[in-house]
Amino acid sequence: MAGHSKWANIQHRKGRQDAARSKLFSKLAKEITVAAKMGDPDPEKNPRLRLAVKEAKAKSVPKDVIDRAIKKSQGGDAENYEEIRYEGYGPNGIALVVEAMTDNRNRTASNVRSYFTKSGGDLGQTGSVSFMFDRVGEIMYPASVGDADTVMLAAIEAGADDVESDEEGHWIYCADTALNEVATALEASLGESETAKLIWKPQAPTEITDLETAQKLMKLIDALEDDDDVQNVTGNFDLSEELAAQL
């Protein structure tokens, strides 16, 4: 099983302590506001907004929070957020891509640099690590939707490029530009997915084998994810289930 779903499962387990729940809600609401401001406030006419709303619902964001975020985008007082990508190396040379949305570029850059430095990592230039990842669409279904062959067939018919399945679920990958189209086609055959989003998929994840490196890396990722300006953090690493259980 490729590393991504294991990492996804670990992230899911980390969500167990999401006292960062309200922080997660505000990040998802920010994406909805930006998506609605950039395009049509109707999710049916705005693919990015449709996917943002879908992701928010999957994370149990209340409907009134979603509606408020869309309404906010149409007001004159909506903040102007800039989308920025940071790239760098964490402990043991693990490559990290950090996606941020900010109304103050200097503050965000200073904070992100500080997190990397404190962890013994190194913030690089844009493009310094992203070549180790593919920008793709990822659609996730629970294992209960069907066996691997059924999902693979549905994915191929929907125009997807790849499927990874294990006992936890099915991860379907497609071109970044085809995400809305493939997700919509899959809904017709498999029903509504749990999530559908753009991700940075590591091409060749590095296996982490020692606990100390894993702890340092998770500390850096937690610090980054805890920052209000940071939307997503992705690393090109894989952890064994045994190591993950010790974190």
Side-chain angles (χ1 to χ4, degrees):
M1 179 60 222
H4 180 77
S5 72
K6 281 189 200 164
W7 170 227
N9 295 342
I10 293 159
Q11 283 182 312
H12 186 68
R13 281 203 292 271
K14 277 173 61 192
R16 67 196 185 275
Q17 337 139 327
D18 248 339
R21 193 169 180 75
S22 64
K23 196 177 281 274
L24 175 67
F25 283 8
S26 69
K27 291 185 183 198
L28 292 166
K30 189 192 284 188
E31 166 62 21
I32 289 169
T33 299
V34 169
K37 193 173 182 182
M38 287 172 64
D40 196 291
D42 179 355
E44 293 307 312
K45 299 175 185 168
N46 181 338
R48 177 170 173 175
L49 177 58
R50 179 175 176 270
L51 291 168
V53 168
K54 181 184 182 65
E55 187 68 12
K57 286 179 177 173
K59 298 290 193 296
S60 306
V61 177
K63 186 176 185 301
D64 64 310
V65 173
I66 293 171
D67 292 342
R68 205 159 52 238
I70 293 174
K71 193 176 288 184
K72 184 179 178 182
S73 72
Q74 304 307 297
D77 60 344
E79 295 95 333
N80 285 313
Y81 291 114
E82 186 179 1
E83 294 181 274
I84 307 173
R85 186 175 82 237
Y86 299 97
E87 302 178 25
Y89 291 95
N92 216 32
I94 299 296
L96 294 173
V97 175
V98 181
E99 295 169 281
M101 247 181 223
T102 180
D103 56 0
N104 186 328
R105 179 190 273 260
N106 291 338
R107 176 193 67 221
T108 311
S110 172
N111 287 348
V112 171
R113 177 169 277 102
S114 167
Y115 303 139
F116 272 90
T117 304
K118 284 177 182 170
S119 75
D122 206 8
L123 186 62
Q125 299 295 315
T126 301
S128 59
V129 306
S130 54
F131 68 91
M132 294 185 238
F133 298 78
D134 294 318
R135 186 64 166 164
V136 298
E138 180 192 69
I139 302 154
M140 189 267 173
Y141 279 91
S144 58
V145 81
D147 61 27
D149 289 343
T150 302
V151 173
M152 176 67 83
L153 191 61
I156 290 168
E157 288 177 352
D161 298 326
D162 192 20
V163 182
E164 296 174 359
S165 299
D166 66 10
E167 67 279 359
E168 301 278 346
H170 308 279
W171 284 262
I172 299 164
Y173 299 102
C174 63
D176 55 347
T177 52
L179 177 57
N180 187 56
E181 187 184 315
V182 173
T184 302
L186 281 167
E187 276 181 25
S189 55
L190 297 178
E192 185 142 3
S193 63
E194 282 200 3
T195 64
K197 59 189 176 184
L198 290 172
I199 65 159
W200 292 93
K201 188 172 188 286
Q203 294 164 0
T206 300
E207 180 78 38
I208 295 178
T209 53
D210 69 290
L211 185 59
E212 188 183 353
T213 298
Q215 287 172 331
K216 281 184 184 172
L217 183 61
M218 288 306 146
K219 192 174 177 184
L220 169 57
I221 290 173
D222 285 345
L224 286 164
E225 289 181 338
D226 204 39
D227 191 291
D228 290 339
D229 296 333
V230 173
Q231 292 290 104
N232 298 296
V233 182
T234 311
N236 72 335
F237 65 94
D238 193 10
L239 294 174
S240 67
E241 288 291 338
E242 296 73 36
L243 204 55
Q246 294 176 59
L247 293 172

